[in-house]
Amino acid sequence: MSALAHVPTGQSTATPPPAARRGRYRFLPYLLLLPGAAWLFVFFALPLVQLAAASLYDPTGSLSTGYALTWAFGNYPDALSAYWPQFLRSFLYAGLALVLALLMGYPLAYAIAQKAGRWKNLLLVCVVAPMFTSFLVRTLAWKTILSDNGWLVGLLRDIHLLGPDGRLLATPFAVVLGLTYNFLPFLVLPLYASLERLDHRLLEAASDLYASPLRAFRRVTLPLSMPGLVAGTLLFFIPASGDYINAELLGTPNEYMIGNVIDSAFLVRLDYPQGAALSFLLMAAILAVVFVYLRRAGTEEVL
């Protein structure tokens, strides 16, 4: 008897093979990526191309006479030679702020993840609560706190940590402090996510093997928190090195960072070729720092 005789009446035998079904849906993931890719193309790739073109405009042009694309690659060395101190200052301030943030943020993230207990959610809200307020308002608040007539300066003068004419505002210290405060949550949250998943049995095993608390931290806790540490330091350092609000409000022109120069080139001096060239130089410098850091962090993690 034929095998077709065992097929119930009305049931189709034309079921697509598994390979055909896989072929039918193989483009579905790419279709799901299409909206995000379109967004990045319109609002990131196209402006980036326009910025690259602007960096090669004839530097003698202007908004009134117009700019001509003359492939003026000399805009890059000219911009770098004129503003290299601001580049170095940007990375110096961002690096100092990162060190301060690590000294405060790592213990804070560890305490919230491992010791906070039922207060964990409340402490996390306290970490992110300042971000509910405008970046500008938060920086202006620090301007009030660090002002010459503020309570903090008065206290430091009373205990002789500042001289009678000493000040905090309009100093590199104020700029670094502002950067540390404004970007600290970007460091704490990834660190918390890594430390919260820490397996206590590993620490107990290290203790059973007579490891001191410091050695257990260096050989167990720190390596296991490296993904959060790397992500947090990048999320902190990248925006901090390109920031200009803190230097503008808490410093003086002597503390200006490269972001202040770019802002002035576009909005004050209307020198679009120089502003665009500085923007690309800043992106290239940050990418180089990130690449070296990731290579180094990867090596450290393996070791």
Side-chain angles (χ1 to χ4, degrees):
M1 182 180 293
S2 174
L4 294 176
H6 298 282
V7 179
T9 305
Q11 180 176 338
S12 174
T13 60
T15 302
R21 290 198 300 269
R22 287 196 299 268
R24 182 184 303 173
Y25 298 109
R26 63 179 178 178
F27 295 109
L28 183 59
Y30 301 101
L31 293 176
L32 295 176
L33 291 174
L34 190 58
W39 178 276
L40 289 176
F41 178 76
V42 173
F43 294 104
F44 179 75
L46 287 181
L48 197 64
V49 171
Q50 178 60 37
L51 190 67
S55 70
L56 301 176
Y57 285 162
D58 184 356
T60 60
S62 65
L63 285 179
S64 57
T65 61
Y67 287 103
L69 181 59
T70 58
W71 304 98
F73 288 98
N75 291 337
Y76 286 91
D78 292 344
L80 185 59
S81 62
Y83 296 107
W84 64 267
Q86 284 80 2
F87 269 103
L88 294 181
R89 188 179 300 132
S90 297
F91 288 107
L92 175 63
Y93 286 177
L96 291 174
L98 177 59
V99 172
L100 285 177
L102 284 172
L103 292 176
M104 294 184 294
Y106 200 105
L108 176 60
Y110 183 86
I112 296 175
Q114 301 295 327
K115 306 296 183 181
R118 61 192 181 93
W119 302 102
K120 182 181 300 185
N121 293 334
L122 178 61
L123 292 175
L124 283 176
V125 170
C126 292
V127 170
V128 301
M131 301 178 67
F132 298 160
T133 308
S134 167
F135 189 95
L136 182 61
V137 172
R138 283 182 278 145
T139 309
L140 287 172
W142 272 104
K143 186 174 183 179
T144 302
I145 294 171
L146 301 176
S147 64
D148 295 341
N149 298 322
W151 65 269
L152 181 59
V153 171
L155 175 63
L156 294 177
R157 287 174 179 171
D158 291 339
I159 61 178
H160 303 291
L161 290 180
L162 278 179
D165 298 326
R167 61 185 323 204
L168 296 178
L169 192 62
T171 63
F173 173 78
V175 178
V176 172
L177 194 62
L179 292 172
T180 304
Y181 168 76
N182 279 306
F183 297 108
L184 183 62
F186 296 107
L187 175 68
V188 172
L189 293 179
L191 269 174
Y192 163 80
S194 287
L195 291 169
E196 199 270 336
R197 296 193 297 267
L198 185 64
D199 191 345
H200 289 275
R201 292 174 298 179
L202 297 176
L203 296 176
E204 293 173 0
S207 177
D208 292 340
L209 294 173
Y210 304 102
S212 65
L214 180 61
R215 185 175 178 83
F217 171 80
R218 188 172 63 87
R219 298 301 298 270
V220 179
T221 305
L222 185 60
L224 291 177
S225 66
M226 278 301 293
L229 183 62
V230 171
T233 51
L234 291 180
L235 288 174
F236 183 100
F237 182 81
I238 292 174
S241 59
D243 180 71
Y244 68 96
I245 295 295
N246 287 278
E248 180 74 29
L249 297 180
L250 303 178
T252 67
N254 293 328
E255 286 81 41
Y256 276 3
M257 301 165 66
I258 194 61
N260 300 95
V261 178
I262 295 173
D263 173 70
S264 175
F266 278 113
L267 301 180
V268 179
R269 294 183 284 111
L270 303 180
D271 190 348
Y272 286 11
Q274 186 180 79
L278 287 171
S279 300
F280 261 88
L281 287 172
L282 178 61
M283 284 190 290
I286 290 176
L287 287 174
V289 171
V290 169
F291 177 77
V292 172
Y293 174 68
L294 289 178
R295 289 288 299 271
R296 181 65 179 170
T299 303
E300 293 286 346
E301 192 170 356
V302 171
L303 294 177

